[in-house]
Amino acid sequence: MTTPQSTAPRAKGGGLKIIRYRGVIKRFGSFTALNGVDLDVHAGEVVCLIGPSGSGKSTLLRCTNGLETIDGGDIEFEGALLPRDERVLRAMRARMGMVFQSFELFPHLTAQQNVAEGPRTVQKVSLAEANRRATAMLAKVGLADKAVNYPSALSGGQQQRVAIARALAMEPDVMLFDEPTSALDPETIGEVLNVMKALAEEGMTMVVVTHEMTFARRVGDWVAVFDTGRIVEQGPPSQIFDAPTTERTRDFLSHLGWSG
Amino acid sequence: MTLDWSVVWQHREALVAATGTTILLTIATMAIAVPCGLIVAALRLYAWAPVRTLATAYVELFRNLPLILVVFWAFYVLPIWTGLGLSPLATGLAALALNVTAYNAETFRAGLNSIRRGQVEAAMALGMSRAQALRRVIVPQALRRVLPVLASTWVSLFKDTSLVSVIAVTELAYVAMQVRAQTFRVLEMLTAMAAIYWLLGYPQAKLVDWIQRKYSVTE
C-alpha cells in the first residue's frame, strides 16, 4: 500500500521529527478506524488533518496522547515509542496539550483555576507559580479580564480560548487540536483561529484536525487528507488545495465547495 | 375530655435532651453515610469486579429492607456477630448508617455517572491519573449535582430516626412515648412530639428547597 507522498521538502524543523506515525492501526470492534497511517510531524510545524467525518483523523489525534490505544503499528513521540505503562504515558501526555471540540472546561472552576489546575495537580508547582502561569496564559489568549468567570458565564469562543490557555499552561512541546471550532458559532470561530495562528507563528508544533480549509491552507505547513482510515494524500497546502494528485482529494474538496 | 398541657412543660428537660439525641443521631448518621456512600459508589463503579459485586450486593440488600427491620436486626444480631455489647444509641446509629449509606451510594453513583466522559479525558489529557481526575474533576462536580438529593435524604433521615425508638434509644419519639405511658396524656404528648418534629423539620425542608434552587445545574 503506497500513499502518494509529496516530494516537496519540509520547510521547518530541520528534519527533527516530534511525532512519527508508522502503520498505525486502530479498531473499534469490527470497525477499522485507522488502517495503516504513516505521517511525520516536524518541530515547529502545523500539520492539518482534513477529510470527511468518520475518516479517522480525530482517532489518530486521540491515539497520539494515548486516550485511545492502538492495535498495530507504532507512534513515536520525541524519539520514544508511546509507552504502555500508565505512569510513563502520563508523563508523556503532560508534554502534549490537547484541545477538544466540546471545550471540556471544568465547570466547577473559574477560568483562572481551570488554567492553573494542570500545573498544580500534575506538575506539582507552587500555587503562586500555577497562578502566575494561569494569568500569563489567559492574557496570551486575550482573556485576562475573564479570570474570575466560571465557564458557564463565557461564550463558546471564550471557553475554547480558556481551554487553549489550560493546555498551554503545562508548557507542552506540541499542541493537539480536535476540531476546535466545530462547536462554535460562526462569529466566534475567528477569535479561536486567531489564537491558534498566533501560536503557530511563535513556532509551536501543532496537529490540527479541522474542517476550516482556509486555516489549513493559510496556517498549515503540511496537510494530510484522510478517507476511510487512511491518508489518501499528504503534502504542503499548495499541493493539496491547488494541485491535488488524487481523485479522492479533489472529490472531498469539491464537496466542500473548494474551488482551489 | 380535658386536656392538660402542663405535662409537656413538666417533662421539658427530658424532651429537650431527647430532641438533642434526635439531632445528634441525624448528624452522626450523615457524617458516616456521606463519606461511606461515596466510597461504596466509587467501589461499585471503578473497583475490581468481585469488590464491585460485593458493593452492589450491600446496596441492594439495605436499600430494599425496611429500616425498622434493620434496626431490630442490628439490636439482636450485631452483638452476637461482633461480641460487643453496644449501647442502644450506637446500635441505632449503626442501623441508620447502614441504611442511609446504601441510599447515598446510589445517589453518588448517579451523580458520578452523570459527569460526561469528556471531563475525564480532559483531565487525563493534562496528565492526571484516573484517581486525580476523580478527586479533582469528577467528584467535586458530582457532589454539587447530588447536593439537593442528599439534602432530601437528610430531611427523611431526621424523621426516620424515630424508628430507633423500638430499641429504646432515648431520642424524641421514645421519650415522648415513655411520658405518654407514664401519664396517660396521649393527645398532649403526641401533639407535642408532632410540633417539635415539624418545627425542626420545616426549616430543614425550606433549606433543601433553597439548596435545590441554588445548585441547579448550569453548564
Side-chain angles (χ1 to χ4, degrees), chain B residues 7-54:
Chain B
V7 64
V8 177
W9 183 249
Q10 281 160 25
H11 293 91
R12 64 187 180 278
E13 281 176 21
L15 287 173
V16 167
T19 304
T21 305
T22 291
I23 293 170
L24 174 77
L25 259 179
T26 309
I27 293 172
T29 301
M30 268 308 202
I32 296 170
V34 167
C36 290
L38 187 54
I39 291 167
V40 172
L43 290 178
R44 264 194 94 171
L45 287 173
Y46 312 115
W48 183 52
V51 178
R52 227 154 50 201
T53 310
L54 269 179

Side-chain angles (χ1 to χ4, degrees), chain A residues 62 65 67 86 90 93-94 96 98 100 102 104-108 117-118 121-122 124 152 166-167 170, chain B residues 116-130 132 135-138 140-141 144 218-219:
Chain A
R62 292 165 56 80
N65 67 354
L67 284 181
E86 262 291 315
R90 284 207 299 274
R93 229 180 236 154
M96 302 187 230
M98 190 166 197
F100 298 85
S102 48
E104 299 301 347
L105 288 180
F106 306 133
H108 60 300
E117 182 60 34
T121 303
V122 177
K124 312 274 186 206
S152 58
R166 175 176 69 178
M170 294 293 287
Chain B
R116 59 174 190 277
R117 191 171 159 64
Q119 288 282 301
V120 185
E121 289 188 345
M124 289 180 58
L126 286 173
M128 287 192 208
S129 65
R130 281 183 185 280
Q132 283 173 327
R135 204 176 67 239
R136 302 286 305 176
V137 175
I138 306 307
Q141 290 183 57
R144 266 153 222 257
T218 51
E219 265 200 66

Side-chain angles (χ1 to χ4, degrees), chain A residues 141 143 155-159 161 164 184 187-196:
Chain A
V141 299
L143 291 173
S155 73
Q158 290 170 336
Q159 289 190 50
R161 282 147 71 196
I164 293 171
L184 294 175
E187 62 266 31
T188 61
I189 289 177
E191 63 188 67
V192 172
L193 292 180
N194 282 337
V195 167
M196 292 168 62

Side-chain angles (χ1 to χ4, degrees), chain A residues 3-208:
Chain A
T3 307
Q5 286 278 345
S6 172
T7 49
R10 304 284 277 252
K12 287 181 182 169
L16 179 63
K17 291 163 185 162
I18 297 259
I19 306 172
R20 286 169 58 113
Y21 303 93
R22 286 289 169 269
V24 174
I25 292 171
K26 173 67 188 176
R27 295 186 195 92
F28 295 104
S30 61
F31 174 71
T32 303
L34 295 174
N35 194 5
V37 170
D38 295 303
L39 178 68
D40 293 333
V41 178
H42 294 215
E45 259 184 351
V46 176
V47 173
C48 292
L49 314 182
I50 65 172
S53 296
S55 59
K57 11 182 237 309
S58 285
T59 303
L60 187 73
L61 202 71
R62 292 165 56 80
C63 289
T64 310
N65 67 354
L67 284 181
E68 304 284 358
T69 52
I70 57 176
D71 298 304
D74 48 52
I75 300 175
E76 264 179 39
F77 175 61
E78 296 182 336
L81 282 177
L82 271 202
R84 292 261 165 199
D85 180 76
E86 262 291 315
R87 188 176 290 264
V88 189
L89 180 61
R90 284 207 299 274
M92 207 173 255
R93 229 180 236 154
R95 287 187 275 133
M96 302 187 230
M98 190 166 197
V99 174
F100 298 85
Q101 181 179 348
S102 48
F103 327 139
E104 299 301 347
L105 288 180
F106 306 133
H108 60 300
L109 303 178
T110 62
Q112 172 93 9
Q113 290 167 332
N114 262 281
V115 181
E117 182 60 34
R120 191 85 187 103
T121 303
V122 177
Q123 297 175 328
K124 312 274 186 206
V125 306
S126 69
L127 186 61
E129 166 64 11
N131 276 324
R132 189 196 62 74
R133 277 198 216 172
T135 305
M137 291 306 138
L138 283 175
K140 192 183 177 92
V141 299
L143 291 173
D145 58 329
K146 301 290 182 189
V148 298
N149 285 74
Y150 284 90
S152 58
L154 301 174
S155 73
Q158 290 170 336
Q159 289 190 50
Q160 194 60 298
R161 282 147 71 196
V162 174
I164 293 171
R166 175 176 69 178
L168 290 175
M170 294 293 287
E171 300 177 344
D173 298 340
V174 52
M175 287 284 285
L176 310 173
F177 291 87
D178 190 4
E179 301 195 22
T181 58
S182 297
L184 294 175
D185 296 330
E187 62 266 31
T188 61
I189 289 177
E191 63 188 67
V192 172
L193 292 180
N194 282 337
V195 167
M196 292 168 62
K197 186 162 173 282
L199 260 184
E201 281 161 3
E202 284 177 21
M204 175 63 79
T205 309
M206 294 162 54
V207 185
V208 185

